[in-house]
Amino acid sequence: MPKSRTSSFTRRGFVAAGGALGLVAVLAACGGTDKAKGDGDKDNGATASAAWTFKDDLGKDVTTKAKPKNIVAFTGTAAALYDYGVPVKGVFGPTKTADGKADVQAGSLDISKVEILGNVYDEFNVEKYAALQPDLMVTNSWDGTYWYVPEASKDKILALAPAAAIKVGGDVTLDKALERTADLAKSLGADLNSKKTVDSKARFEAAAAKVREATKANPGVKVLVGSGADALFYASTPDTAADLKYFKQLGVEFVTPEKLDEGGFFESLSWENAGKYKADVILLDNRTGTLQPEQLKAKPTWNELPAVKAGQVVPRVTEPIFSYDKCAQILEDLAKSIQNAKKVS
């Protein structure tokens, strides 16, 4: 799982806000536990009165008595649903930057129209969540857990409404994560045959073909996936994230770190050892909690990396918004980066 680059890497340290316990029993009942009637790729919620069921990627049959209207989601998942025309009432996860603008993970969301329950990792206001009277919570899953749902308050949160998760790590590739997100959106009322969605999917498929063409036309380009923090440089493996696994299928040649940290997502390198792996292109974590190229100039070893010297550092959308609209752009940018790269390692 790609951890948020905050001042501390301790997970699940947040103690949930109090005051919501009195609402737990009442609101939990709203979710219902009716026996599952089908999978998420069937529009089981065609009418407001019909029971809604979606089999999520944690293997759970998530059921409500009617199609959910009050939806709360991880910011990136909410942004994907928005692209399909499915609105949400509240979000949790990076949503607003320090200057009040929309975070990169908010995509096209109008952040002024959603309740922000938490803006950083391990932050989730349970009391505000309860006040929204949620019918459903949705998020992604990297390792079998609910992404951005704090461990300390997980039980309180999950008692308030049914939860569904879309897998975006492990053995899942980008195209599969996109399909499953589209399945979820369809079950919630999205029209996957709309011109916007059909055109976006066609654009995504064309962009994938461009990446294949670029890797064939410019073979041997080595790509390192990295993320910068004050004390460490993180070199990521391409074998655990949906986007990188898919890029690899398209022919992208990655540098694979040798000694992965617990969890198996990246190798932590001191800045003195940041040059351990040579690469022609660096895909650099674009999340707001990480150091960006201007900030990294203060790191001498960063400036000595061949890809940096060659100006071949490009943003990596580390946590993609899993809609065809947003992922098409990611592939188009990747194709250009590979096509224009010079071998410098």
Side-chain angles (χ1 to χ4, degrees), residues 33-38 53 61-63:
T33 56
D34 295 3
K35 186 177 179 181
K37 294 183 175 116
T53 296
D61 291 309
V62 185
T63 303

Side-chain angles (χ1 to χ4, degrees), residues 251-310:
V252 177
E253 297 182 41
F254 286 102
V255 176
T256 302
E258 301 167 352
K259 298 180 180 180
L260 300 180
D261 291 11
E262 183 180 357
F265 289 92
F266 50 78
E267 179 176 353
S268 300
L269 300 171
S270 66
W271 278 108
E272 289 78 10
N273 295 314
K276 179 178 179 179
Y277 300 108
K278 300 297 187 289
D280 304 300
V281 174
I282 295 176
L283 288 182
L284 185 67
D285 192 340
N286 77 331
R287 291 177 293 179
T288 52
T290 66
L291 298 183
Q292 298 305 304
E294 278 299 313
Q295 298 164 304
L296 288 170
K297 286 180 180 179
K299 307 289 185 184
T301 49
W302 168 260
N303 297 317
E304 293 302 313
L305 298 178
V308 176
K309 285 184 174 181

